């Protein structure tokens, strides 16, 4: 009863509000890793004696008024989604005998239900189970109209949010040693190029020797990585080394290792805007714009369910005609699939031509795994053992929980996380893309080999696979009647409605179509060099109109569907089946036209050298930007009002910080790993 009195404030005002349906995308469910509601079975549990004494004592405590004041209460704007009653986190944290606990509720009024986060300032003697049991007692006093039910074990704020165990110490040691290695190697690099070092007669390397091999190349310029990197010229071979003084393998290997981590060695590579005549400059622009598009979509996915006092207002923006580019931001992922297929085909066929069709396929696979996996593993390490200590807000304790990563981290490193575990149980759920891309890469030689030796067989195989993908996706979309656009992503699964993310969104057989279209374009680029393709200007103009119309239709054709005129199951099936391939065809013409001189100002814009440094950061920006948004959410103490201006500032800051962190990450890890790779991959 005492805890009931403490929570009575919530009961008095909550009965006056109606609730609207709310949503939580699966990717956010995976990050809001609250503990499930425990099952007590037939055994009866009571509140602990310590909690009962704490509640009794609180009425004799001068801080009682502040504790009650810090409890979350419904505010204005319930009908526009202001249902998260977080209370005053800092006020509760300032009280010595109280701690902040966050309870996730299912609030039902008549037949309408919604999920809500409710903050409680409870005595420190009360643990999570005490508060849960207090809520069960509290429910008994509600009327038939209003019911409040906790859906998970409360999350009470602790300091630190997770214990400083040996795993944390080991992670801090790893990052400290990595930072120290970069600093020391940079200092040694500076000394080595100083006048004092040059005066030493036994200087092991000359100025243009091993220290500056392939200086104009970015680290991805041997084989493509998961975000569409490209080689800068046909003369650059895997592991090719320039001439150097014959001073012994040990000394040169030592310098190669040391200078792989040196900032003066790697920073010019990152900032270089140099491209060769045989490269595809417009790809840099496509990559950066697509990555910024991904971040834009994720700003709404991460911020909307947790940090806004009027989320339904923000949701209403997504159905506006001009805002469909945001609600359909997942086409940015298809852009990366297209680029990856293009580059794998283009670069591999070029290497096969140099080697008369002979490719060391074990090094082919090793290179991709080496390029992706260490950065992914370090990202998981940082997310699991470092990020929980950044936050200090109502959601900080919730976001600090990592129940899935200890169980399923290996699925990410094996690139099977798009099949196992389920989306809500993923460790860093946004890396489902890497699993798809790696799986496409694994099967690519099945297409590349016939494409090189007997092209018509390879092209026929691509066509058949694309048709099968379209057919499977269309059938699944029609059977489950998934609506087009973001509506399918945010429709919660029920007994009668399947999970779109599990059925279509994460599955490689539904996402491979743009990758296959990219492979066709890569073959064309390999087969027909620049300036060898001549198209009449009228044909080029008509192609531009058709391609732009196709891309426009992919994004904006769903406007009637999300504004009161839903399509039939057949219409939804056709859209789900064809739209990704259609987007790939749109990008195919854009890149094709720019590459062969029919892009005009589009090519000048996408191929500008200023895109190149940002393009080299795409992979690390992709890995880190959700962590930046997570840390931002962990700091929010009270919901903010969503306006266009507010979201622009959040997006701009998130994108800027993501690329800044990506630059640090790339210089400390990604670029050095590329340098180390050249030590053990054979030159031929």
């Amino acid at each position: 009863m005492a805890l009931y009195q403490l929570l009575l404030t919530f009961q008095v005002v909550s009965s006056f509000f109606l609730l609207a349906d709310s949503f939580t995308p699966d990717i956010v469910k995976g990050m809001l890793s609250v503990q499930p509601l425990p099952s007590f079975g037939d055994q009866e549990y009571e509140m602990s004696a310590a909690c009962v004494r704490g509640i009794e004592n609180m009425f004799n405590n001068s801080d009682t008024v502040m504790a009650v004041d810090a409890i979350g209460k419904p505010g204005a704007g319930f009908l526009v989604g202001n249902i998260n009653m977080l209370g005053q986190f800092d006020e509760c944290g300032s009280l010595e005998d109280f701690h902040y606990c966050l309870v996730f509720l299912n609030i039902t009024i008549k037949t309408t239900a919604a999920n809500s986060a409710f903050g409680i300032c409870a005595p420190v003697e009360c643990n999570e189970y005490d508060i849960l049991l207090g809520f069960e007692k509290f429910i008994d006093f509600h009327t038939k109209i209003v019911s409040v039910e906790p859906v998970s074990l409360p999350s009470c704020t602790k300091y630190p949010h997770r214990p400083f165990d040996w795993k944390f110490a080991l992670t801090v040691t790893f990052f400290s040693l990595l930072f120290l290695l970069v600093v020391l190697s940079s200092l040694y690099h500076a000394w080595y190029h100083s006048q004092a070092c040059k005066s030493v007669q036994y200087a092991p390397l000359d100025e243009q020797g091993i220290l500056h091999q392939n200086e104009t190349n970015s680290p991805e310029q041997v084989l493509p990585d998961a975000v569409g990197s490209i080689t800068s010229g046909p003369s650059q071979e895997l592991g090719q080394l320039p001439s150097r003084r014959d001073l012994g393998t040990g000394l040169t290997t030592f310098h190669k290792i040391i200078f792989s981590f040196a900032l003066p060695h790697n920073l010019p590579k990152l900032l270089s805007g140099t491209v060769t005549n045989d490269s595809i400059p417009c790809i840099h622009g496509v990559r950066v714009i697509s990555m910024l598009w991904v971040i834009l979509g994720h700003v709404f996915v991460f911020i909307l369910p947790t940090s806004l006092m009027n989320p339904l207002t923000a949701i209403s923006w997504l159905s506006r005609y001009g805002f469909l580019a945001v609600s359909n931001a997942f086409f940015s992922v298809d852009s990366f699939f297209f680029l990856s297929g293009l580059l794998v085909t283009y670069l591999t066929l070029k290497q096969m031509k140099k080697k008369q069709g002979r490719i060391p396929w074990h090094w082919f696979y090793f290179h991709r795994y080496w390029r992706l996996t260490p950065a992914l593993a370090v990202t998981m390490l940082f997310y699991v053992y470092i990020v929980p200590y950044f936050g200090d807000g109502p959601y900080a304790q919730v976001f600090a929980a990592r129940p899935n990563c200890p169980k399923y981290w290996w699925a990410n490193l094996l690139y099977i996380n798009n099949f196992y575990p389920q989306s809500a149980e993923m460790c860093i759920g946004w890396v489902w893309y890497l699993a798809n891309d790696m799986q496409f890469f694994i099967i690519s030689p099945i297409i590349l080999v016939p494409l090189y030796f007997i092209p018509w067989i390879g092209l026929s195989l691509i066509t058949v696979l694309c048709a099968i993908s379209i057919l499977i996706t269309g059938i699944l979309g029609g059977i489950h009647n998934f609506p087009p656009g973001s509506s399918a992503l945010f429709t919660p699964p029920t007994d009668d409605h399947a999970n779109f993310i599990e059925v279509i969104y994460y599955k490689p057989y539904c996402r491979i179509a743009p990758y296959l279209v990219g492979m066709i374009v890569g073959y064309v680029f390999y087969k027909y060099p620049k300036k060898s393709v001549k198209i009449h200007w009228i044909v080029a103009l008509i192609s531009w109109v058709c391609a732009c119309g196709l891309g426009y239709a992919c994004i904006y054709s769903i406007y009637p569907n999300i504004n009161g005129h839903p399509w039939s199951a057949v219409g939804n099936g056709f859209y789900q089946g064809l739209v990704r391939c259609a987007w790939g065809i749109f990008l195919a013409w854009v890149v094709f036209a720019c590459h062969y001189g029919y892009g005009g100002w589009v090519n000048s814009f996408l191929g500008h050298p200023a895109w190149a440094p940002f393009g080299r950061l795409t992979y690390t920006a992709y890995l880190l930007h959700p962590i930046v948004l997570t840390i931002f959410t962990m700091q929010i103490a009270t919901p903010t009002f969503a306006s266009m201006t507010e979201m622009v500032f959040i997006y701009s800051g998130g994108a800027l910080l993501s690329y800044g962190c990506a630059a640090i990450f790339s210089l400390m890890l990604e670029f050095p790993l590329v340098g180390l790779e050249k030590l053990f991959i054979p030159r031929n």
Side-chain angles (χ1 to χ4, degrees):
M1 286 297 296
L3 183 60
Y4 163 71
Q5 294 175 358
L6 178 65
L7 301 174
L8 187 60
T9 306
F10 171 71
Q11 179 197 18
V12 171
V13 293
S14 64
S15 60
F16 294 102
F17 299 99
L18 297 176
L19 301 178
D21 291 333
S22 65
F23 69 91
T24 302
D26 277 7
I27 190 170
V28 177
K29 287 182 179 178
M31 298 184 65
L32 290 172
S33 304
V34 294
Q35 301 181 48
L37 197 64
S39 175
F40 297 129
D42 297 331
Q43 188 174 2
E44 292 186 2
Y45 283 81
E46 297 181 355
M47 295 174 60
S48 66
C51 180
V52 173
R53 289 195 301 270
I55 295 175
E56 292 175 352
N57 293 335
M58 70 179 292
F59 292 103
N60 300 319
N61 192 320
S62 60
D63 291 330
T64 301
V65 175
M66 295 184 65
V68 175
D69 182 55
I71 295 176
K73 305 170 186 67
F78 234 61
L79 293 180
V80 292
N82 186 22
I83 58 176
N84 290 325
M85 298 158 283
L86 302 180
Q88 275 293 328
F89 177 82
D90 294 333
E91 183 179 18
C92 183
S94 66
L95 305 179
E96 182 178 354
D97 298 326
F98 297 87
H99 62 162
Y100 182 91
C101 299
L102 190 66
V103 186
F104 288 89
L105 307 175
N106 181 274
I107 304 178
T108 303
I109 299 180
K110 294 184 179 180
T111 60
T112 304
N115 291 327
S116 171
F118 179 54
I120 298 176
C121 192
V124 293
E125 294 86 354
C126 297
N127 60 28
E128 289 87 348
Y129 290 94
D130 293 329
I131 296 172
L132 178 65
L133 292 171
F135 258 104
E136 291 183 340
K137 296 176 182 296
F138 172 62
I139 292 173
D140 295 337
F141 292 90
H142 277 71
T143 67
K144 299 296 183 179
I145 299 178
V146 179
S147 66
V148 179
E149 179 184 0
V151 295
S152 66
L153 193 66
S155 177
C156 295
T157 299
K158 305 174 181 64
Y159 293 100
H161 296 308
R162 58 176 299 150
F164 292 116
D165 54 11
W166 66 270
K167 299 175 184 178
F168 168 78
L170 190 63
T171 303
V172 171
T173 301
F174 168 77
F175 282 106
S176 300
L177 291 176
L178 181 62
F179 177 76
L180 184 63
L181 178 60
V182 171
V183 172
L184 293 179
S185 62
S186 300
L187 293 175
Y188 181 75
H189 185 281
W191 172 83
Y192 185 83
H193 286 80
S194 67
Q195 190 62 37
C197 180
K198 291 180 180 179
S199 64
V200 180
Q201 295 181 358
Y202 55 86
L205 303 176
D206 57 38
E207 182 66 15
Q208 299 300 323
I210 189 63
L211 302 186
H212 292 282
Q213 58 168 315
N214 296 329
E215 188 70 16
T216 61
N217 300 344
S218 62
E220 69 274 8
Q221 292 176 336
V222 176
L223 286 176
D225 64 17
V227 290
S229 302
I230 187 77
T231 186
S232 54
S235 63
Q236 295 163 354
E237 306 226 351
L238 195 63
Q240 179 181 356
L241 301 177
S243 61
R244 60 180 182 268
R245 295 178 183 176
D246 187 12
L247 295 172
T249 304
L251 189 57
T252 58
T253 301
F254 168 78
H255 282 83
K256 289 160 68 175
I257 294 174
I258 293 298
F259 293 129
S260 293
F261 290 88
L263 289 179
H265 180 63
N266 292 325
L267 191 58
K269 298 179 181 180
L270 172 62
L271 300 179
S272 174
T274 304
V275 293
T276 67
N277 293 330
D278 200 45
S279 65
I280 309 175
C282 66
I283 283 183
H284 285 300
V286 175
R287 281 189 297 175
V288 176
I289 293 173
S290 297
M291 190 67 248
L292 292 175
W293 200 6
V294 169
I295 297 175
L296 177 62
H298 281 170
V299 163
F300 281 86
V301 170
F302 280 74
I303 304 301
L304 234 153
T306 58
S307 308
L308 301 180
M309 67 171 58
N310 57 332
L312 296 184
T313 299
I315 293 173
S316 68
W317 300 342
L318 303 182
S319 61
R320 296 180 184 179
Y321 192 81
F323 217 75
L324 287 177
V326 177
S327 60
N328 276 337
F330 47 78
F331 282 118
S332 57
V333 179
D334 295 306
S335 300
F336 285 120
F337 284 136
F338 166 82
L339 293 176
S340 188
L342 185 160
L343 295 170
V344 167
T345 305
Y346 177 60
L347 298 177
T348 306
L349 291 178
K350 285 175 60 179
Q351 290 294 325
M352 294 178 72
K353 183 178 180 180
K354 293 177 183 178
K355 304 300 179 183
Q356 291 77 47
R358 295 188 298 271
I359 286 287
W361 295 110
H362 58 290
W363 289 118
F364 176 83
Y365 288 119
F366 174 83
H367 172 79
R368 174 55 64 93
Y369 194 81
W370 177 263
R371 284 288 288 111
L372 300 184
T373 308
L376 172 60
V378 172
T379 299
M380 287 194 294
L381 199 65
F382 183 78
Y383 176 72
V384 174
Y385 297 114
I386 300 297
V387 171
Y389 303 100
F390 276 86
D392 188 26
Y395 286 103
Q397 188 68 47
V398 179
F399 277 90
R402 301 288 187 269
N404 298 326
C405 285
K407 294 186 291 185
Y408 301 117
W409 60 268
W410 55 269
N412 291 352
L413 301 184
L414 294 179
Y415 299 99
I416 61 171
N417 49 299
N418 56 337
F419 286 102
Y420 182 84
Q422 298 211 353
S423 57
E425 298 177 335
M426 280 185 176
C427 174
I428 60 171
W430 59 93
V431 299
W432 67 269
Y433 164 84
L434 292 182
N436 281 268
D437 188 80
M438 180 63 80
Q439 290 157 15
F440 299 157
F441 186 83
I442 290 173
I443 67 170
S444 63
I446 300 174
I447 299 173
L448 294 172
V449 172
L451 200 59
Y452 177 79
F453 290 103
I454 312 175
W456 71 268
I457 294 181
L459 293 173
S460 299
L461 185 58
I462 290 176
T463 303
V464 171
L465 290 176
C466 191
I468 292 175
S469 175
I470 291 173
L471 185 63
I472 292 176
T473 309
I475 291 174
L476 291 174
I479 290 176
H480 297 287
N481 197 21
F482 290 127
S486 58
S487 301
L489 286 175
F490 296 131
T491 300
T494 63
D495 294 338
D496 300 325
H497 198 282
N499 189 337
F500 173 77
I501 289 179
E502 298 285 354
V503 175
I504 290 180
Y505 195 72
Y506 283 176
K507 294 302 179 280
Y509 45 80
C510 295
R511 304 306 299 260
I512 197 173
Y515 189 93
L516 295 171
V517 175
M519 295 189 78
I520 295 177
V521 177
Y523 172 76
V524 172
F525 286 2
Y526 154 76
K527 192 71 175 179
Y528 304 100
K530 286 184 179 180
K531 300 182 180 179
S532 64
V533 176
K534 303 297 180 183
I535 301 176
H536 195 278
W537 70 269
I538 295 180
V539 176
L541 179 61
I542 294 174
S543 299
W544 268 110
V545 172
C546 293
C548 291
L550 189 61
Y552 183 86
C554 290
I555 296 176
Y556 293 97
S557 63
I558 68 171
Y559 179 74
N561 184 283
I562 60 178
N563 283 277
H565 302 283
W567 295 343
S568 64
V570 175
N572 289 334
F574 269 102
Y575 181 86
Q576 296 291 354
L578 295 172
V579 70
R580 292 168 186 83
C581 183
W583 184 258
I585 294 173
F586 158 67
L587 285 179
W589 170 254
V590 173
V591 177
F592 176 90
C594 291
H595 185 65
Y596 288 111
Y598 297 94
W601 65 268
V602 177
N603 182 48
S604 300
F605 175 70
L606 295 177
H608 196 280
W611 293 114
F614 297 98
R616 298 184 184 107
L617 298 175
T618 304
Y619 180 45
T620 48
Y622 156 74
L623 289 175
L624 296 181
H625 80 273
I627 296 179
V628 172
L629 296 177
T630 298
I631 294 174
F632 172 77
T633 305
M634 293 170 71
Q635 303 291 338
I636 296 177
T638 57
T640 57
F641 185 81
S643 65
M644 290 291 184
T645 304
E646 181 83 13
M647 299 310 294
V648 167
F649 273 89
I650 293 176
Y651 167 66
S652 301
L656 182 63
L657 287 174
S658 296
Y659 271 92
C661 294
I664 297 173
F665 193 18
S666 293
L667 292 171
M668 291 186 64
L669 186 71
E670 190 184 21
F671 279 56
L673 288 175
V674 174
L676 293 177
E677 182 186 19
K678 297 176 183 178
L679 296 177
F680 47 81
I681 288 188
R683 301 183 187 181
N684 60 350

